[in-house]
Amino acid sequence: MEQYEPDRLTPAQLAAMRRGVRAGVPRGRGAFSRRSLLRAAGGGALAAGGLSTLAACGIPPAAGNAQAGSSEDHSAKEKRLNFSNWTEYMDLSEDKKSRPTLDAFRQRTGIKVKYTEDINDNVEFFGKIKPQLAAGQDTGRDLICVTDWLAARLIRFGWVQKLDPANLPHAYTNLSPQFRNPDWDPGRSYSYPWQGISTVIAYNAKATKGREVTSVQQLLEDPALKGRVGFLSEMRDTVGMTLLDSGKDPGDFTDDDFDGAIARLQKGVDSGQIRRFTGNDYTSDLESGDLAACLAWAGDVVQLAAGTPDVRFHIPDSGYVTSSDSLLVPNKARHKTNAEKLIDYYYEPQVAAELAAWINFVCPVDGVKAELAKIDKEAAENPLIVPDKAMAAKSRSFRSLTSKEEARYEAAFAKLTT
């Protein structure tokens, strides 16, 4: 297991944090504040609150081995579990007094879920749980939901428990192929995606005078779009989409490939083609037409298009970048089996459909479309919520980075965007 090592924030990583903080105000239940705030800071921000801070508090790092997470499971005797999640990431009744799918789980299993919306961004949440994890102590949580790069780090540090496939029959069977084998958790031994996050091209048809915008190349080179193009302030999304447009795989690229993508983006900046790099705040400009076209997150596009029919999207032929927010069981959790039962429950298509109808993210559950159609036919036909096979085949993930790569790539991206 990789040890949790202290690193200082580089100027590039500080710039990345500032980019995240400048991300706009969330927009309803589909807003992507959960990953637009500080996600770009990635490894650097984690390291900033890392081992050096723990040492100052007298808390030694946990041993990086499988036994570090072993603990007695009290699930059989204690019919409960504690679940930490992002805000606006669970279905809610019309009167806002109950959560229908969680209530149904309790009625079926007798397991009471203490559901807490205490994740506002990955870095902040990591700061809450790192002292206990590093000391080999119970965090008080049986199930957490974090974005893929943080999930990868927790797995590498040996701070989460390996899941028992015997408790996950629906999850194992129904997990969508596009989410099955991330390089940081092949075969999903430690994690299962809660929802997917896709990066696509969005455009305002009124602002483009009816012309479609279909590629990153068009964003970077079409003179009709000059000065009205936006790219995302998230390095993995913007560089990943540019790599794909260059014929490279963001899941398997070299330093030279990365540098080539940065050079293309720099040319767009220097020429005035790119207006700005944004977080969530591109939504208002796209809606008004101040941005004619941009890279966008699928959930935002679903929400925008519902109120502004001129807002449309396109999946480039070269592919698109997908990440995820994933469920994990922390070390020393008291109710591991109960947590696994809850994960498995949300992989039943009917339950997954109820959740998807409410939050409008990319559903990672295969077979959900028929069930979702019973609730919301429009959502079931929306490939930004339920990707069809052709769209799923175009999905690519940005590969895991070493600490050295993280620093180098963020430095280059910070220079580009600031």
Side-chain angles (χ1 to χ4, degrees), residues 77-144:
K77 294 182 179 179
E78 299 176 1
K79 294 292 185 179
R80 62 179 182 270
L81 71 94
N82 297 324
F83 181 7
S84 284
N85 205 350
W86 301 84
T87 58
E88 306 290 344
Y89 223 14
M90 178 67 74
D91 55 305
L92 192 64
S93 64
E94 290 296 326
D95 61 9
K96 299 183 180 181
K97 294 182 179 180
S98 64
R99 300 190 180 277
T101 58
L102 284 178
D103 290 346
F105 175 77
R106 177 183 55 78
Q107 292 168 6
R108 181 198 297 185
T109 65
I111 298 170
K112 184 177 181 180
V113 181
K114 181 181 179 181
Y115 184 76
T116 308
E117 294 179 310
D118 61 346
I119 306 180
N120 296 308
D121 67 70
N122 289 287
V123 176
E124 179 187 65
F125 182 67
F126 183 78
K128 291 180 182 180
I129 63 176
K130 69 184 178 185
Q132 293 91 349
L133 291 173
Q137 299 171 353
D138 182 8
T139 65
R141 298 167 175 85
D142 301 297
L143 193 62
I144 61 174

Side-chain angles (χ1 to χ4, degrees), residues 263-300:
R264 290 187 67 192
L265 292 163
Q266 186 67 61
K267 184 177 179 180
V269 171
D270 295 342
S271 68
Q273 181 77 9
I274 298 175
R275 179 171 179 172
R276 64 191 183 105
F277 292 82
T278 74
N280 236 152
D281 49 338
Y282 67 82
T283 55
S284 59
D285 285 346
L286 181 63
E287 193 171 28
S288 68
D290 288 342
L291 280 179
C294 62
L295 292 186
W297 289 304
D300 290 340

Side-chain angles (χ1 to χ4, degrees), residues 10-29:
T10 66
Q13 290 161 342
L14 287 170
M17 289 182 68
R18 289 193 292 272
R19 291 197 301 275
V21 170
R22 288 197 296 267
V25 178
R27 297 173 53 87
R29 70 177 184 260

Side-chain angles (χ1 to χ4, degrees), residues 73-79 334-335 337-338 341:
D73 189 351
H74 298 267
S75 293
K77 294 182 179 179
E78 299 176 1
K79 294 292 185 179
R334 287 181 61 89
H335 311 107
T337 299
N338 290 345
K341 289 180 179 179

Side-chain angles (χ1 to χ4, degrees), residues 145-220:
C145 181
V146 297
T147 305
D148 50 12
W149 61 260
L150 179 52
R153 289 222 165 201
L154 293 173
I155 291 169
R156 289 201 303 271
F157 294 156
W159 286 359
V160 294
Q161 299 189 55
K162 192 170 185 178
L163 302 174
D164 184 352
N167 295 327
L168 298 160
H170 294 98
Y172 181 82
T173 300
N174 296 331
L175 176 60
S176 174
Q178 75 181 90
F179 293 102
R180 281 193 178 272
N181 286 294
D183 66 349
W184 47 270
D185 187 18
R188 294 287 181 178
S189 297
Y190 294 89
S191 69
Y192 269 90
W194 177 247
Q195 298 293 299
I197 303 166
S198 294
T199 304
V200 300
I201 291 175
Y203 62 97
N204 185 311
K206 184 177 181 180
T208 64
K209 298 181 180 179
R211 295 178 62 212
E212 291 187 335
V213 181
T214 61
S215 69
V216 170
Q217 180 178 2
Q218 189 176 355
L219 290 176
L220 290 173

